[in-house]
Amino acid sequence: MLENISIKKIILFSLTSAVLVASQSNFAHTRFKTPVIDENGSRHGSDYNAEVIGHTCKTDDGVALDLLGTVVVFPDGVDSTLTVDGVASDKKVIDFVTNWGSPVQSISNKDVFGYQDEINTPLGNTVGYWMGGGPGLQNNLAAVLPFRTSGVVIDETSCAKSVTFRTNIADICVITKASEFSTNALNIWSVAVEGSKFQIPGSKGDDSPATLKVNRTSPMPEDCGEGVDVIVTPTAAQINRDMPIIINGEQVWPLPE
Ligand SMILES: [Cu+2]
């Protein structure tokens, strides 16, 4: 009898493992529900989107942890870096997008996390949000967390046929110091920029950010030819400034060194 139970357990365990492997494939990384949108003139209003968290954290020992919170940061457009058709450029976001200021608005939703707030830059622009606290995300479930993006207007005089914004996202399962970051504590879907404290080198999320691509709908000047694809990346300085969760002036994550 005992033996039978053990075998049953093993079979069940195997099935569970197989399901886990399947659910942790690439598409289950934290991404945006609608990763490609059209540029959106003021007459169109805003786009409603969502952060999709496909899975929580998994320790080196294979233990799945519940998720305590998430932080999403978009490029602030001020000191962000650009590539144009894959080549580094000195141009600025303002050369391609007329209205990048506060790109994101967090939408109140307490289904997964009990607390949330927007992340504002010193200029007063909203560039991201955090959500955290109970009940949290149970380790065998996924989450869809709503947000709204402002209508992005591509400069009609530019040759951009698309502008893609790369983000930096942390999904936190254990609250640690930044120097203790590892996939045993959190997943970070990060841009790879020198000097960022909010990346886990060598992890699946390293250099694997969630992106929002904005396609042009206005006609391009004739001398643009096919047009160019622009990619915007937040700087390390911005990431280090905007990723920490600060509540009433007190930094609650990461813990002080
Ligand atoms: Cu994943």
Side-chain angles (χ1 to χ4, degrees):
M1 186 62 189
L2 264 179
E3 266 177 13
N4 273 345
I5 289 170
S6 307
I7 287 165
K8 263 189 190 165
K9 265 188 181 169
I10 288 165
I11 291 167
L12 279 175
F13 178 75
S14 307
L15 281 173
T16 311
S17 302
V19 169
L20 260 182
V21 168
S23 72
Q24 297 226 337
S25 62
N26 275 358
F27 65 83
H29 292 349
T30 297
R31 293 292 183 256
F32 299 137
K33 184 179 177 188
T34 309
V36 182
I37 60 174
D38 280 342
E39 74 166 308
N40 205 343
S42 53
R43 66 186 186 280
H44 296 305
S46 308
D47 279 293
Y48 287 86
N49 209 324
E51 174 191 1
V52 179
I53 301 177
H55 57 77
T56 67
C57 317
K58 200 173 178 188
T59 68
D60 294 342
D61 298 331
V63 178
L65 305 175
D66 293 349
L67 198 67
L68 305 177
T70 186
V71 183
V72 177
V73 168
F74 280 74
D76 64 13
V78 178
D79 60 350
S80 311
T81 60
L82 264 69
T83 63
V84 176
D85 275 349
V87 180
S89 167
D90 288 337
K91 292 203 167 174
K92 300 285 181 198
V93 172
I94 190 72
D95 294 319
F96 298 101
V97 173
T98 63
N99 66 336
W100 190 259
S102 289
V104 61
Q105 169 72 55
S106 185
I107 293 173
S108 182
N109 183 300
K110 305 278 193 284
D111 288 351
V112 182
F113 302 112
Y115 301 87
Q116 70 189 93
D117 211 344
E118 53 191 18
I119 296 169
N120 297 314
T121 70
L123 293 173
N125 290 325
T126 303
V127 292
Y129 62 85
W130 62 264
M131 303 175 95
L137 178 57
Q138 192 177 305
N139 64 60
N140 58 341
L141 302 182
V144 180
L145 307 171
F147 66 84
R148 182 176 74 198
T149 53
S150 305
V152 176
V153 178
I154 295 180
D155 189 331
E156 285 190 24
T157 64
S158 81
C159 289
K161 68 173 185 246
S162 75
V163 182
T164 298
F165 297 91
R166 305 168 86 212
T167 67
N168 213 82
I169 297 180
D171 292 333
I172 307 156
C173 293
V174 182
I175 294 174
T176 66
K177 302 172 182 176
S179 60
E180 295 166 348
F181 282 170
S182 84
T183 50
N184 288 312
L186 76 170
N187 296 316
I188 307 184
W189 313 102
S190 71
V191 295
V193 290
E194 183 95 33
S196 167
K197 292 180 196 162
F198 295 85
Q199 53 190 343
I200 303 174
S203 72
K204 273 189 192 168
D206 188 22
D207 199 16
S208 178
T211 56
L212 182 70
K213 182 178 187 180
V214 181
N215 281 325
R216 182 177 189 143
T217 55
S218 66
M220 240 182 296
E222 274 182 20
D223 56 357
C224 287
E226 293 275 284
V228 294
D229 292 309
V230 177
I231 297 177
V232 183
T233 301
T235 60
Q238 190 212 330
I239 289 167
N240 293 340
R241 181 192 68 200
D242 293 338
M243 287 292 290
I245 300 178
I246 296 164
I247 302 175
N248 296 329
E250 193 189 339
Q251 183 170 318
V252 299
W253 176 86
L255 295 174
E257 295 293 336

